[in-house]
Amino acid sequence: MTRAAETFAETFAETAVAPAEPLAADVHAWADPQTEDERLEFWATAAALLDWQTPWETTHSWTPPDPQAQRGPDIRWYSGGTLNAAVNCVDRHVAAGRGDVVALHFEGEPGDRRDVTYAELQDQVNRAANALTALGVGAGDRVVIYLPVLVETVVITLACARIGAVHSLVFGGFSAEALRFRVEDTAAKLLVTTDGQFRRGQAVPVKENADAAVAGENAIEHVLVVERTGSEVAWTAGRDVAWGDVVDAASPVHEPEFFDAEHELFIMYTSGTTGKPKGLVHTTGGYLTGALFTHLRLFAHPDPARRGEDVHWCTADLAWVTAHTYEIYGPLAAGATQVIYEGTPTTPHPGRHFEIIQRLGVTSYYTAPTLVRSLMGAFPDGVPAEYDLSSIRLAGTVGEAVNPEAWRWIRREIGRDTVDDAGRPALPLVDTWWQSESGSTVLSPRPEDAATRTLKPGSASRAMPGWEAAVVDDAGAPVDAETQGNIVLTRTGPSMARTVWGDPERYYTSYWAQYAEQGWFLAGDGAKQDADGDLWILGRIDEVINISGHRLSTIEIESALVTHSDVVEAGVCPVEDPTTGHAAVAFVVLTDAARARLADADSDGDSAEEKLLAGLRAHVGAVIGPVAKPRRVIPVPEVPKTRSGKIMRRLLTQLHDGAALGDTTSLQNEHCVEQIAAICDARGTAASRPSTQETA
């Protein structure tokens, strides 16, 4: 070890704590590593916040990508070490005397509530682990979990980790076909589902989708069913088992096993621009280290003595990687208290989230820009003063780059009790950028940046400690400031996905092939770096619009549209244009007030809509420039989004052009596809079909 690394290690040793007390770790005082030796020492110190059964021998090893073999890098962290993820998330907090601390504040959509302490969570996880073993599930077996946001979802996830089974969570709103693919691709032995879920005020059937998904050839031996809505369900004797019969009746005593740091923890499916979804494999030691450290660094109170006041809320569905990291493993490994909420944020009214924040004293609110935009539309005059949001200490966004207008709204409305001496918004806002592939946050402002430097609306700012990123051209050369290029990860952290399940070649071709010589990971997003060195994410590389030689990001145009008072949300996509190369088409969700105005226009409705859409085009021209004006603006009831809140823009292009649709199984609102297709048909947007309405 170099002398610099030794000094760095000594600095960390002064703030290091016993593994049983991660909430006491003064991670905000840790210096950012500058050299490779310091980076490895940094991640060794972060891993020491976990409880290891066997210490590791080698912090990190890396075998570069192999173009000839079409193989990605062999990434290993903490080789030789053994641990158990569930023990780190539950048992050690109980052993440290914190069993009576609330781990989960559960909020059901119908209004039912349940507080679960760490001691109660340990009881439930142990029972579920014993039940899994009784059902023949063991280490390395795959379990697909098709549940909404429930306490049982967290319990069964941790129970899988406890016995070494590999879990794969599937959004409860996905279709039977989406579920079938994941069941078959993982060769899962067990499917966990529910009779139904509450969604938008109704009990929605779930098990019938599960039954359809496992009706064909697969490796499923049992279907474990949680009773949530009390709905009548079909029952297959011998295959189907009730949660109450096998979990609640199981013993609360379970002896955990300990697994190698590189033991597979979960498979996370992410939609690709082409082909079937990719099953990214995350392993135990490295992923848990990244999840715990970044949760503490971004969301825990900077004063360790005050972290008992924290109430964290990540609003993501549990099947999304954001929820894995900042709703399951990160907060629970830290011993934090958090909120989990079952349903939609507007049921039974748009202020539901604000009620929960007020009642539970939420301190960190981490959500998607798409939810923020919906709240902006629901509360055009701001969040009503009747909601007490004074507990909020910081907010965060994830999923896509947040539009500047939404960024300002969060600080002004949700953070209205946090202002500087001049009365200006001062709420720390961590606008995080990361991916299913990275496993934890890669770029983000630090919470203290709100007081020490100027925050920039929509900028992901800088790399987290232990990660390194750059913006380069297709050949790997750095691009000039304010020039769009490809964002690459030149140094990755321990939470990085190791491969694509069953398809290592796809792991190489999707992420490593273009910059294999440099050993860089291609994230797939366009980005730029400003003169201050801050990074800005500009959307997917394949969604950049090149209009007459001008490269414009879809997010830029969408951000301009949502600053208009009549627009709640916008999805912009590129379409081919024989003159300009590309043209932009905007699909917009109008405010209730705008829709009411158009409805009241009666016989003049067409011209009223034409004026509105022409006004929106002109607005984009005024905000960005004439070259950015969309060729068409099309009102739609909603835009298609993945469960992470990302707008699926390639699908909008396909719908506009009347082309064959790609994979839609990752959508959280698949029903809108037919609606948008009908609207495009009526407007004759595809070159192959006659136009039935002139566009604005």
Side-chain angles (χ1 to χ4, degrees), residues 212-262:
V214 300
E217 293 294 324
N218 53 66
I220 290 291
E221 295 179 2
H222 290 99
V223 175
L224 177 59
V225 184
V226 176
E227 183 179 334
R228 172 58 181 152
T229 62
S231 305
E232 290 289 332
V233 296
W235 202 261
T236 301
R239 185 198 70 182
D240 296 351
V241 290
W243 181 279
D245 291 343
V246 297
V247 177
D248 292 344
S251 168
V253 178
H254 182 270
E255 190 67 29
E257 296 179 64
F258 297 91
F259 302 97
D260 186 85
E262 286 297 322

Side-chain angles (χ1 to χ4, degrees), residues 16 25 59 106 119 183 209 211 225 235 342 347 356 389 403 443 454 465 500 553 624 648 663 667 674:
T59 299
F106 169 72
V183 165
N209 275 353
D211 289 339
V225 184
W235 202 261
E342 175 186 28
T347 304
I356 294 171
L389 307 182
N403 307 96
L443 305 177
T454 301
V500 170
S553 84
I624 302 177
M648 197 172 273
D663 172 45
L667 293 179
E674 290 186 8

Side-chain angles (χ1 to χ4, degrees), residues 598-686:
L598 295 183
D600 290 342
D602 295 326
S603 60
D604 193 37
D606 286 349
S607 63
E609 182 179 278
E610 289 167 6
K611 290 176 184 176
L612 172 61
L613 302 186
L616 294 179
R617 294 182 68 245
H619 179 71
V620 173
V623 172
I624 302 177
V627 71
K629 289 168 64 173
R631 185 175 72 185
R632 245 185 213 105
V633 179
I634 303 173
V636 292
E638 50 187 317
V639 292
K641 286 174 278 193
T642 66
R643 67 176 182 273
S644 64
K646 287 185 175 70
I647 297 169
M648 197 172 273
R649 297 175 185 88
R650 66 167 173 81
L651 190 59
L652 290 175
T653 298
Q654 293 162 347
L655 288 164
H656 176 275
D657 291 348
L661 301 184
D663 172 45
T664 63
T665 60
S666 293
L667 293 179
Q668 61 168 286
N669 57 346
E670 198 169 359
H671 59 272
C672 77
V673 174
E674 290 186 8
Q675 297 171 328
I676 297 172
I679 291 169
C680 289
D681 280 337
R683 291 172 181 263
T685 59

Side-chain angles (χ1 to χ4, degrees), residues 285-536:
Y287 170 78
L288 203 58
T289 296
L292 173 57
F293 168 73
T294 53
H295 170 79
L296 290 171
R297 187 62 180 82
L298 293 175
F299 300 111
H301 199 289
D303 181 356
R306 297 188 59 185
R307 288 180 186 158
E309 304 167 15
D310 288 348
V311 179
H312 177 62
W313 188 8
C314 170
T315 68
D317 184 90
L318 289 172
W320 186 24
V321 71
T322 292
H324 281 55
T325 305
Y326 300 116
E327 201 170 346
I328 302 177
Y329 288 109
L332 293 178
T337 295
Q338 62 176 324
V339 176
I340 60 172
Y341 174 63
E342 175 186 28
T344 53
T346 56
T347 304
H349 58 81
R352 183 71 185 273
H353 274 207
F354 304 135
E355 283 185 347
I356 294 171
I357 290 171
Q358 174 177 300
R359 178 165 21 86
L360 295 176
V362 172
T363 56
S364 52
Y365 182 66
Y366 190 41
T367 194
T370 185
L371 174 57
V372 176
R373 291 190 292 266
S374 71
L375 292 172
M376 292 168 63
F379 297 102
D381 299 323
V383 179
E386 67 192 74
Y387 297 113
D388 180 0
L389 307 182
S390 60
S391 63
I392 292 290
R393 183 177 51 78
L394 68 85
T397 56
V398 63
E400 291 195 307
V402 64
N403 307 96
E405 190 67 16
W407 186 96
R408 295 186 184 96
W409 191 90
I410 295 170
R411 300 191 84 203
R412 183 180 69 247
E413 298 298 330
I414 296 178
R416 60 193 178 196
D417 293 294
T418 304
V419 295
D420 62 16
D421 293 341
R424 294 168 299 202
L427 182 77
L429 181 59
V430 289
D431 175 18
T432 64
W433 176 83
W434 58 292
Q435 301 176 306
S436 298
E437 292 83 352
S438 70
S440 66
T441 300
V442 176
L443 305 177
S444 178
R446 318 290 169 83
E448 66 273 15
D449 287 350
T452 60
R453 66 204 300 258
T454 301
L455 294 181
K456 302 172 182 178
S459 170
S461 185
R462 51 184 166 149
M464 292 290 288
W467 295 80
E468 293 178 16
V471 182
V472 299
D473 63 20
D474 288 344
V479 299
D480 294 335
E482 303 296 347
T483 302
Q484 179 161 329
N486 305 328
I487 187 166
V488 294
L489 304 185
T490 58
R491 290 287 186 276
T492 61
S495 60
M496 198 75 192
R498 302 301 194 252
T499 188
V500 170
W501 179 261
D503 197 350
E505 184 175 324
R506 194 176 183 197
Y507 181 63
Y508 171 78
T509 57
S510 297
Y511 304 116
W512 301 95
Q514 183 163 341
Y515 301 107
E517 182 179 347
Q518 299 92 335
W520 296 345
F521 174 88
L522 176 65
D525 277 342
K528 67 179 181 180
Q529 194 165 30
D530 64 22
D532 297 325
D534 287 326
L535 291 158
W536 300 71

